[in-house]
Amino acid sequence: MKHIYLVYPDKIGTIAPEIYGHFTEHIGGVFYDGLWVGRDSKIPNINGFRKDLIEKLKEIRPSVLRWPGGCFAETYNWRDGIGESRPVRPSWWTPNDGRYESNEVGTHEFMELCELVGAKAYFAMNVTSITPMQARDWMDYCMSPRGSTTLALEREKNGHPEPFDIAYWGVGNENWGGGGNMTADYYALEYRRFATVMHNICDKKSELIAGGANGGDYAWTHDLVANLEKTSAPVHGMSFHFYTGNAKDALNFDEDEWYSVLAKCCTMDERIRRHHSYSVGKKMEDKLKLVVDEWGCWYPDGSGPSKGYNLFEQQSTMRDALVSALTLNIFNNQCDKVRMANVAQLCNNLHCLFLAGGEHCITTPTYHVFKMFRDHQGAEAIRAFGEDNDDIKKRVSVSASVKDGIMTVTLANCSCEEDTEISLDLFGIQAEGTAEVELLTSGDIHDYNTFDAPDTVAPTTCTWDITKPVTMPRASVATVRIKLK
Ligand code: AHR
């Protein structure tokens, strides 16, 4: 039997709702025939957005949506996405999939999506192929008060007199790669130039996020932080991206490949600690809290319903549900260092929550995990840990938080071989003995949802008597809601 320790007096911090954020890029099928079906479509829609998806998305309380990329952002001209007549352009991704960008979804449509689902907006600014002046113009267009500037009047003419509320602007994307192949020092200087101009126009209403490292590239973080320390340019967070890359198939894997993917995703923990430590070293940890604005599994194309037509679309099995739960538990447990995270990507793409096409729209196991974890948003994280954590085969991952007299405990049993008996040991607080439980598990670890069988993987509910040991099925995720006395 394994003990899970829940130490109530040991508070870590508030779990920012933005940790439960999403990423929506103009790539493959994320928007077109995914989120967006068009206003004239026969598919039920709300001003062009797929109604079914909007309703399901609201249920998981999406806190923030990142847009328009990704790599797409670094060749995006915001002017293409406003007004009546919109140009068709090659996008960043056209060489990969031969598809052109229609610009049907632009600033106004995306902001409507945010409004429909109750999410904050996180825009990624192009810093590779536009000037700071053009960046300033986009912000002027979005955020200047009603009737105040020529661009505010143009916004009004396009149907939105009031300013848009853009909570966050990312200054570039992957500037070590697609975003200009810059060195960290060169990017830092570009950051300073753009951020100074951007901050000045937005009247301090938005927060600016500096573009960070690729996975474990700590040299990038070292150089960026050292450079930003020397400037008064405003900064409110530092991103990094980490994908659990896997050359093998999304659907066909053996037990070793189950464990290797889970072990790899758990290295997120060390990456957070090490990237964060550079800003601690420079006493910049408040300004440079981490924004993990792309994370998830990345398998070869072709496993999704479009059979490879939608670039990067992949299916999600119970293995991906476990990756989601392990990663979100890591973020909760490190909520003093992580201020935002955006799973990549929302629909028809890597590690997605929705698969859609034509009249079909289904949710993936990852969607269910986000729904099961939603009560952590804005709650107070407390110290939670289990035993045998060094061995991925024996690990039961945990995080716990408290809000409104309820302790939410989320667990992931990594073993794909054995059910595991666990005991939930509370310290420093009394609780009721019977807890409400949501459980996500499936007969086969390879199970996934399809257009024909959309509920193969779906959670069930039950109660646990937590005064005694309880059994967690192998390869499962559980949310336990404990009433505090
Ligand atoms: O999520 C797909 C791509 O992965 C993004 O555009 C890019 O930022 C990353 O390399």
Side-chain angles (χ1 to χ4, degrees):
M1 194 201 39
K2 286 190 201 317
H3 290 275
I4 304 288
Y5 301 100
L6 305 166
V7 189
Y8 180 79
D10 196 355
K11 310 250 163 81
I12 304 169
T14 304
I15 299 172
E18 289 77 13
I19 283 177
Y20 290 79
H22 301 275
F23 176 34
T24 55
E25 179 170 11
H26 286 242
I27 179 176
V30 176
F31 277 97
Y32 303 117
D33 203 25
L35 291 157
W36 175 261
V37 292
R39 293 188 185 85
D40 302 330
S41 173
K42 288 197 190 89
I43 296 159
N45 67 84
I46 311 176
N47 291 339
F49 287 103
R50 196 183 277 278
K51 188 162 182 277
D52 196 12
L53 193 153
I54 296 294
E55 280 162 6
K56 290 194 177 112
L57 183 53
K58 274 159 77 173
E59 288 174 28
I60 62 170
R61 298 187 209 131
S63 50
V64 57
L65 303 183
R66 177 173 182 250
W67 178 82
C71 291
F72 177 88
E74 293 287 10
T75 54
Y76 183 59
N77 181 347
W78 66 272
R79 278 219 153 266
D80 292 347
I82 57 165
E84 287 296 312
S85 119
R86 309 224 178 149
V88 175
R89 304 255 191 228
S91 87
W92 172 271
W93 295 109
T94 304
N96 298 68
D97 66 3
R99 289 159 80 167
Y100 293 98
E101 173 59 40
S102 68
N103 284 300
E104 266 183 79
V105 174
T107 299
H108 289 253
E109 291 76 18
F110 178 73
M111 288 310 291
E112 176 145 29
L113 171 64
C114 289
E115 204 172 301
L116 284 171
V117 301
K120 290 185 184 174
Y122 174 19
F123 279 21
M125 183 63 85
N126 175 353
V127 303
T128 300
S129 53
I130 66 170
T131 63
M133 194 62 208
Q134 290 165 297
R136 181 182 163 94
D137 284 349
W138 193 12
M139 296 180 83
D140 175 2
Y141 180 86
C142 289
M143 300 173 74
S144 288
R146 179 180 192 148
S148 62
T149 66
T150 301
L151 285 171
L153 289 171
E154 189 175 351
R155 184 188 68 224
E156 179 162 357
K157 194 177 100 222
N158 289 333
H160 208 278
E162 294 306 324
F164 292 119
D165 185 5
I166 321 282
Y168 311 100
W169 292 84
V171 182
N173 175 73
E174 296 195 346
N175 301 91
W176 38 264
N181 276 309
M182 302 177 193
T183 62
D185 267 330
Y186 183 86
Y187 168 73
L189 298 179
E190 286 295 298
Y191 176 87
R192 288 156 66 155
R193 200 160 76 105
F194 272 79
T196 305
V197 171
M198 288 168 70
H199 193 59
N200 163 274
I201 183 75
C202 76
D203 197 22
K204 303 186 178 60
K205 288 198 187 92
S206 303
E207 298 198 312
L208 304 181
I209 311 300
N214 181 19
D217 181 359
Y218 302 110
W220 174 281
T221 304
H222 171 274
D223 293 353
L224 177 64
V225 173
N227 196 313
L228 293 184
E229 188 201 12
K230 298 184 204 127
T231 173
S232 59
V235 62
H236 308 101
M238 176 173 65
S239 89
F240 80 90
H241 291 175
F242 172 50
Y243 284 101
T244 304
N246 193 296
K248 304 270 182 65
D249 201 75
L251 297 174
N252 302 305
F253 51 86
D254 59 24
E255 287 184 359
D256 285 346
E257 287 156 2
W258 163 277
Y259 288 118
S260 69
V261 165
L262 299 199
K264 207 164 185 182
C265 96
C266 288
T267 64
M268 178 69 89
D269 192 70
E270 191 201 340
R271 288 164 209 272
I272 291 170
R273 288 176 204 281
R274 289 190 62 182
H275 286 301
H276 178 72
S277 65
Y278 290 99
S279 27
V280 175
K282 299 285 184 190
K283 297 196 172 30
M284 289 179 75
E285 63 270 31
D286 293 338
K287 286 182 172 183
L288 294 179
K289 268 186 109 172
L290 295 171
V291 175
V292 190
D293 47 17
E294 291 184 30
W295 68 269
C297 287
W298 192 323
Y299 307 109
D301 280 18
S303 60
S306 77
K307 302 278 176 258
Y309 174 68
N310 288 333
L311 188 67
F312 297 163
E313 180 186 85
Q314 59 188 38
Q315 258 295 358
S316 295
T317 64
M318 274 307 295
R319 182 170 63 170
D320 302 291
L322 265 285
V323 167
S324 306
L326 290 166
T327 307
L328 292 172
N329 275 346
I330 290 169
F331 292 153
N332 289 342
N333 290 327
Q334 305 261 23
C335 67
D336 51 338
K337 306 178 188 69
V338 180
R339 60 167 305 182
M340 194 199 308
N342 309 75
V343 60
Q345 303 197 14
L346 187 60
C347 180
N348 293 345
N349 204 264
L350 311 169
H351 212 96
C352 55
L353 285 78
F354 295 94
L355 288 164
E359 75 273 25
H360 302 289
C361 177
I362 59 166
T363 54
T364 66
T366 290
Y367 170 88
H368 294 303
V369 172
F370 269 76
K371 193 165 176 191
M372 290 165 66
F373 278 53
R374 68 193 183 285
D375 290 343
H376 283 306
Q377 292 190 29
E380 193 75 14
I382 62 159
R383 194 73 53 200
F385 53 96
E387 300 173 309
D388 290 330
N389 271 354
D390 290 340
D391 183 351
I392 192 70
K393 296 188 174 185
K394 295 184 180 162
R395 183 178 302 179
V396 176
S397 143
V398 60
S399 72
S401 68
V402 174
K403 190 165 68 178
D404 301 333
I406 306 282
M407 183 185 289
T408 301
V409 183
T410 46
L411 300 153
N413 185 3
C414 293
S415 174
C416 64
E417 296 146 85
E418 288 169 5
D419 296 351
T420 308
E421 199 170 63
I422 58 166
S423 157
L424 297 179
D425 299 349
L426 268 69
F427 292 84
I429 189 95
Q430 300 292 315
E432 289 185 7
T434 304
E436 305 289 330
V437 175
E438 269 181 282
L439 192 65
L440 188 68
T441 183
S442 204
D444 187 327
I445 56 173
H446 304 92
D447 280 347
Y448 58 96
N449 296 334
T450 65
F451 290 163
D452 293 332
D455 296 316
T456 303
V457 182
T460 54
T461 54
C462 60
T463 55
W464 280 357
D465 176 357
I466 59 164
T467 62
K468 299 182 189 142
V470 289
T471 301
M472 258 201 96
R474 71 186 184 118
S476 68
V477 178
T479 298
V480 188
R481 292 191 180 84
I482 302 170
K483 248 192 203 154
L484 301 179
K485 282 188 183 159

